[in-house]
Amino acid sequence: MKEGRARLILTAESLFARSGIEGASLREIAAAAGQKNHNAVQYHFGSREGLVEAIFTARMAQMEPTRGAMLESIEQADRLADVRALIEIVFLPQLELEDPEGSHSYAGFLSQFLLRNSRERFGDFGAELPPNIARTLTLLRNAVDFLPEAPAQRRLLTACFMFLNMLAGQATSGAEDGEIFAAALEDTLNQIAVAMSLPLAVPS
């Protein structure tokens, strides 16, 4: 990826996380990324929506090698139907995605992206997914095939927001607030695994 384009993606991610996807102007993003051309975003991405999709695509591609290695590991261990193992593949690679300041601005960006782009079909977030995360979501759907499509997608989105809220919250809290990150991470993953696996309640 060209340096200028990569800088625009990282800058936009940070500003979108802080100000909202509609809150940061394209000129502001270009200036913050050190671009003299105020129309740099339009030149590289065509539009705000093109930039948003480019952030999502770039970050997904960045996590693919880790997800591939994790898939290979659980396949060798015969755990391809293990909900907890699959959830770890979905979420743990996001821990690697730090911005230049060492924060997880991607968590704030992705929360907004999911609100704008989620669909009714399980794992559909309005953008093409690379192979390893696509396979992981297919395996996860198979593991919870007792759920109809709409509740399965709703639970997946809820799981995403749980994890992203926990991750983004680490920027404003720490062990001095009573919980270390490792404990928060483990508890969140456990909650997600249980929530995804629960039988569907039928109204009486």
Side-chain angles (χ1 to χ4, degrees):
M1 187 185 303
K2 293 182 179 179
E3 183 179 349
R5 180 182 171 90
R7 192 180 303 115
L8 283 166
I9 285 175
L10 290 175
T11 301
E13 177 186 278
S14 180
L15 289 176
F16 286 158
R18 187 183 316 143
S19 305
I21 287 177
E22 302 297 338
S25 73
L26 301 186
R27 282 176 172 260
E28 179 185 1
I29 293 167
Q35 300 290 312
K36 295 180 180 179
N37 179 3
H38 293 309
N39 296 316
V41 170
Q42 292 91 326
Y43 174 79
H44 286 283
F45 307 103
S47 65
R48 181 182 301 271
E49 289 304 317
L51 174 58
V52 168
E53 187 171 336
I55 297 170
F56 180 81
T57 299
R59 287 305 204 182
M60 284 291 165
Q62 190 175 346
M63 292 184 281
E64 270 291 276
T66 299
R67 285 181 168 138
M70 294 175 76
L71 272 169
E72 183 178 355
S73 176
I74 69 166
E75 187 164 17
Q76 291 176 353
D78 195 25
R79 297 181 65 200
L80 289 178
D82 186 326
V83 170
R84 173 57 191 262
L86 294 168
I87 283 169
E88 290 181 1
I89 297 173
V90 173
F91 293 112
L92 289 183
Q94 296 180 43
L95 301 180
E96 304 172 359
L97 304 184
E98 294 185 344
D99 59 28
E101 286 73 44
S103 299
H104 292 286
S105 58
Y106 179 70
F109 163 80
L110 186 57
S111 292
Q112 298 177 61
F113 181 91
L114 294 175
L115 285 171
R116 288 163 56 101
N117 293 279
S118 61
R119 307 291 194 268
E120 293 183 1
R121 184 167 58 85
F122 185 84
D124 185 357
F125 303 118
E128 186 175 353
L129 298 176
N132 292 328
I133 182 60
R135 183 186 180 205
T136 302
L137 290 173
T138 297
L139 291 167
L140 182 57
R141 183 68 183 101
N142 292 340
V144 295
D145 62 358
F146 56 89
L147 292 172
E149 192 76 356
Q153 173 72 337
R154 171 174 50 77
R155 289 188 185 188
L156 178 60
L157 284 171
T158 300
C160 289
F161 292 131
M162 287 175 61
F163 182 85
L164 294 169
N165 182 65
M166 181 278 301
L167 187 56
Q170 296 307 305
T172 57
S173 64
E176 66 275 9
D177 298 309
E179 186 174 38
I180 62 172
F181 176 71
L185 175 62
E186 183 69 12
D187 186 55
T188 301
L189 293 174
N190 284 337
Q191 288 183 70
I192 291 171
V194 170
M196 288 298 303
S197 303
L198 282 173
L200 188 64
V202 179
S204 57

